[in-house]
Amino acid sequence: QFDVVESGGGLVQPGGSLRLSCAASGFILDYYAIGWFRQAPGKEREEVSCISWRSYSTNYVDSVKGRFTVSRDNADGTVYLQMNSLKPEDTAVYYCAADLRPFPENCTVDHNKGRYHYWGPGTQVTVSS
């Protein structure tokens, strides 16, 4: 059975930071592209970042560029989303998703949810004073 799970969400004040983690069971996360998405109440799920196999490629949606950083832990394959300078408009449920086409050297942020095969249940991020 393949599973993906996020962790690290919570409540933070504007300007604060959080680090989200994405881990997998049943497959080696390191071999695949991972996308980070978010969905705010009443809005479409949008892709905010992606990272390819071996971190050859990382990309971000314009609204988070310079504030969010996606990375992999080479030891265990965990994927992280470091979120700095958080704003109230970053409030959403954050999801990681795995594209199980192996060894991709590139990834693209294009909000294409259909590209991804396995999704985590999501973790809530709330930015509020």
Side-chain angles (χ1 to χ4, degrees):
Q1 181 178 352
F2 294 170
D3 282 309
V4 176
V5 62
E6 310 89 348
S7 61
L11 173 65
V12 63
Q13 292 186 343
S17 298
L18 283 174
R19 188 178 77 161
L20 305 183
S21 300
C22 177
S25 62
F27 65 99
I28 299 173
L29 199 61
D30 201 37
Y31 293 168
Y32 307 105
I34 302 300
W36 282 100
F37 288 74
R38 66 185 180 187
Q39 188 165 19
K43 294 189 176 181
E44 293 288 320
R45 189 172 299 189
E46 67 166 346
E47 188 171 16
V48 297
S49 183
C50 66
I51 185 167
S52 70
W53 170 57
R54 290 189 177 177
S55 308
Y56 287 135
S57 173
T58 59
N59 281 293
Y60 303 90
V61 71
D62 285 349
S63 61
V64 308
K65 284 180 180 177
R67 300 189 297 122
F68 289 13
T69 304
V70 62
S71 63
R72 289 186 183 270
D73 183 313
N74 291 330
D76 63 11
T78 300
V79 175
Y80 298 100
L81 185 68
Q82 178 67 44
M83 306 186 296
N84 298 329
S85 303
L86 283 162
K87 304 175 181 180
E89 51 263 44
D90 295 317
T91 295
V93 178
Y94 283 71
Y95 302 87
C96 69
D99 175 354
L100 293 192
R101 290 169 292 182
F103 313 124
E105 296 187 359
N106 295 291
C107 73
T108 302
V109 170
D110 61 2
H111 312 296
N112 180 9
K113 297 185 290 293
R115 171 182 297 117
Y116 294 95
H117 302 89
Y118 286 96
W119 291 78
T123 186
Q124 176 71 46
V125 171
T126 302
V127 184
S128 175
S129 55

